[in-house]
């Protein structure tokens, strides 16, 4: 009888220890797994990188613009393709009240020539989708994350980029995307706070057309500052460039909001202003809109670091 009581007592102690270990969710000799960083860079070929590693904390980060040579050595006149006549948009954007967009006819002027019209194809669909992007170095175009990675279709299969396009005129030719980037917060979590990405090109048009600067706005809020959104909307003749300029409505942690008029296919447009110290500089990437305002992914330290990482690849 005594042996039975001892056995029961030992068994009870063993079960108690086991239950406590399971409740703590820590296997014997193992550590809990750290949460995944939504700003981790990912590519269409499966490469991952943490661009924030070894980065020093700065109150403000700035990458300067470059005007390029502006020479139009590749004047091509191709007209709209049959696919572009039925161009599709990926995200809604809005005209807030009266449409105050103006057409940019001088697309070979800076910074307009560094603004890029994008024609995108995805797997398992015959449709062609339109977006906008902007050069940030000789061969890197920044755009919205949903332009390179669709939540419905996955990574883009092909992207054709036309800097400074003007209707049927391609003053700087066209380039093919060779590598596409975004971050896990968008591709895995579908979180619009991380809706941004980039495209590497099979050439270096930035040496000719130049590129936009980009900067963080940590030291002072950009709310109230005048800014422009320039791109290639699909409610107009496709391939024509349009722009609107209005003050930033609000500055949130991950987003800037504005009543600047935009439309579908302008996703990825630069939200920029002409700073006295840095010139034509993007502070957000236009992504989508609603009935009262439009939104762009704010250039935070993490966004800045990823853009620099992609530009250096």
């Amino acid at each position: 009888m005594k042996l039975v009581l001892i056995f029961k007592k030992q068994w009870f102690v063993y079960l108690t220890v086991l239950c406590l270990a399971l409740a703590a969710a820590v296997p014997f000799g193992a550590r809990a797994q750290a949460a995944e960083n939504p700003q981790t860079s990912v590519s269409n070929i499966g490469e991952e990188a943490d661009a924030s590693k070894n980065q020093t904390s700065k109150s403000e980060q700035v990458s300067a613009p470059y005007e390029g040579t502006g020479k139009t050595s590749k004047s091509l006149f191709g007209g709209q393709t049959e696919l572009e006549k039925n161009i599709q948009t990926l995200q809604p954007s809005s005209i807030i009240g009266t449409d105050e967009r103006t057409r940019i006819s001088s697309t070979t002027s800076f910074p307009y020539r560094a603004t890029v019209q994008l024609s995108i194809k995805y797997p398992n669909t015959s449709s062609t989708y339109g977006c906008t992007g902007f050069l940030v170095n000789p061969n890197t175009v920044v755009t919205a994350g949903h332009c390179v990675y669709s939540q419905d279709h996955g990574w883009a299969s092909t992207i054709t980029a036309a800097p400074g396009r003007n209707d049927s005129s391609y003053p700087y030719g066209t380039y093919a995307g060779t590598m596409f980037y975004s971050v896990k917060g968008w591709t895995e979590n579908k979180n619009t706070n991380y809706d941004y990405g980039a495209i590497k090109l099979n050439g270096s048009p930035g040496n000719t057309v130049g590129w936009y600067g980009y900067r963080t706005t940590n030291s002072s809020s950009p709310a109230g500052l005048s800014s422009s959104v320039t791109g290639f909307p699909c409610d107009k003749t496709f391939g024509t460039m349009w722009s609107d300029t209005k003050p930033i409505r609000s500055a949130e942690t991950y987003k800037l909001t504005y009543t600047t008029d935009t439309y579908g296919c302008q996703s990825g447009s630069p939200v920029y202003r002409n700073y006295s110290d840095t010139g034509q500089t993007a502070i957000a990437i236009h992504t989508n809109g609603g009935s009262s305002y439009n939104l762009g992914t704010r250039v935070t330290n993490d966004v800045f670091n990823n853009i620099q990482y992609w530009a250096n690849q």
Side-chain angles (χ1 to χ4, degrees), residues 116-169:
V116 184
Q117 182 265 314
L118 301 173
S119 296
I120 306 167
K121 296 285 290 183
Y122 298 97
N124 306 316
T125 175
S126 59
S127 298
T128 300
Y129 293 84
C131 276
T132 301
F134 57 101
L135 282 151
V136 293
N137 82 342
N139 66 350
T140 307
V141 175
V142 169
T143 188
H146 64 260
C147 295
V148 293
Y149 184 91
S150 162
Q151 298 296 343
D152 295 324
H153 306 295
W155 288 103
S157 52
T158 64
I159 298 180
T160 302
R165 181 176 172 178
N166 191 2
D167 196 358
S168 60
S169 172

Side-chain angles (χ1 to χ4, degrees), residues 224-300:
L225 294 179
S226 178
S227 67
S228 301
V229 181
T230 302
F232 295 88
C234 53
D235 66 324
K236 303 293 187 179
T237 299
F238 192 68
T240 56
M241 188 187 298
W242 295 75
S243 187
D244 188 24
T245 301
K246 289 188 177 75
I248 297 292
R249 173 181 173 273
S250 68
E252 302 169 5
T253 303
Y254 298 103
K255 294 285 186 181
L256 297 184
T257 71
Y258 34 87
T259 57
T260 313
D261 293 320
T262 64
Y263 205 81
C265 299
Q266 281 190 254
S267 290
S269 295
V271 182
Y272 66 100
R273 59 181 275 104
N274 191 3
Y275 280 90
S276 60
D277 57 341
T278 60
Q280 303 289 357
T281 308
I283 55 177
I285 302 117
H286 176 67
T287 55
N288 62 296
S291 59
S292 300
Y293 55 86
N294 290 308
L295 303 94
T297 300
R298 186 176 183 177
V299 178
T300 61

Side-chain angles (χ1 to χ4, degrees), residues 4-312:
V4 172
L5 289 173
I6 292 172
F7 176 79
K8 286 183 175 179
K9 186 175 182 181
Q10 289 176 335
W11 181 248
F12 177 79
V13 171
Y14 173 78
L15 286 176
T16 301
V17 172
L18 181 61
C19 289
L20 287 172
L22 291 173
V26 180
F28 295 111
R31 292 184 177 181
Q33 189 174 6
E36 199 163 51
N37 181 7
Q39 294 284 9
T40 298
S41 167
V42 292
S43 76
N44 61 315
I45 62 171
E47 293 178 345
E48 296 184 9
D50 185 353
S52 64
K53 282 185 177 180
N54 304 320
Q55 293 285 344
T56 57
S57 178
K58 298 178 181 178
S59 60
E60 210 70 270
Q61 299 192 78
V62 178
S63 179
Y66 170 63
E67 291 196 13
T69 65
K71 293 180 180 178
T72 57
S73 58
K74 281 190 177 182
S75 252
L76 304 177
F77 296 86
Q80 281 190 307
T81 66
E82 287 302 314
L83 290 173
E84 285 185 343
K85 290 178 181 178
N86 296 303
I87 200 80
Q88 302 292 311
T89 180
L90 287 159
Q91 291 278 13
S93 297
S94 298
I95 305 300
I96 313 298
T98 303
D99 187 355
E100 297 180 305
R101 292 173 297 168
T102 57
R103 182 174 175 180
I104 304 299
S105 298
S106 56
T107 65
T108 56
S109 299
F110 186 80
Y112 305 122
R113 61 183 179 234
T115 310
V116 184
Q117 182 265 314
L118 301 173
S119 296
I120 306 167
K121 296 285 290 183
Y122 298 97
N124 306 316
T125 175
S126 59
S127 298
T128 300
Y129 293 84
C131 276
T132 301
F134 57 101
L135 282 151
V136 293
N137 82 342
N139 66 350
T140 307
V141 175
V142 169
T143 188
H146 64 260
C147 295
V148 293
Y149 184 91
S150 162
Q151 298 296 343
D152 295 324
H153 306 295
W155 288 103
S157 52
T158 64
I159 298 180
T160 302
R165 181 176 172 178
N166 191 2
D167 196 358
S168 60
S169 172
Y170 298 77
Y172 306 100
T174 61
Y175 297 81
T178 59
M179 183 84 80
F180 313 138
Y181 293 98
S182 188
V183 293
K184 285 191 172 183
W186 173 250
T187 62
E188 294 185 5
N189 303 336
K190 304 180 181 181
N191 189 329
T192 57
N193 286 334
Y194 306 100
D195 186 358
Y196 69 104
I199 304 157
K200 300 297 288 191
L201 302 179
N202 67 339
S204 300
N207 290 330
T208 301
V209 303
W211 55 79
Y212 284 83
Y214 54 98
R215 67 185 291 167
T216 58
T217 49
N218 301 324
S219 57
S220 61
S221 171
L225 294 179
S226 178
S227 67
S228 301
V229 181
T230 302
F232 295 88
C234 53
D235 66 324
K236 303 293 187 179
T237 299
F238 192 68
T240 56
M241 188 187 298
W242 295 75
S243 187
D244 188 24
T245 301
K246 289 188 177 75
I248 297 292
R249 173 181 173 273
S250 68
E252 302 169 5
T253 303
Y254 298 103
K255 294 285 186 181
L256 297 184
T257 71
Y258 34 87
T259 57
T260 313
D261 293 320
T262 64
Y263 205 81
C265 299
Q266 281 190 254
S267 290
S269 295
V271 182
Y272 66 100
R273 59 181 275 104
N274 191 3
Y275 280 90
S276 60
D277 57 341
T278 60
Q280 303 289 357
T281 308
I283 55 177
I285 302 117
H286 176 67
T287 55
N288 62 296
S291 59
S292 300
Y293 55 86
N294 290 308
L295 303 94
T297 300
R298 186 176 183 177
V299 178
T300 61
N301 284 336
D302 286 322
V303 173
F304 185 97
N305 291 338
N306 272 319
I307 293 175
Q308 283 217 317
Y309 171 75
W310 298 331
N312 291 330

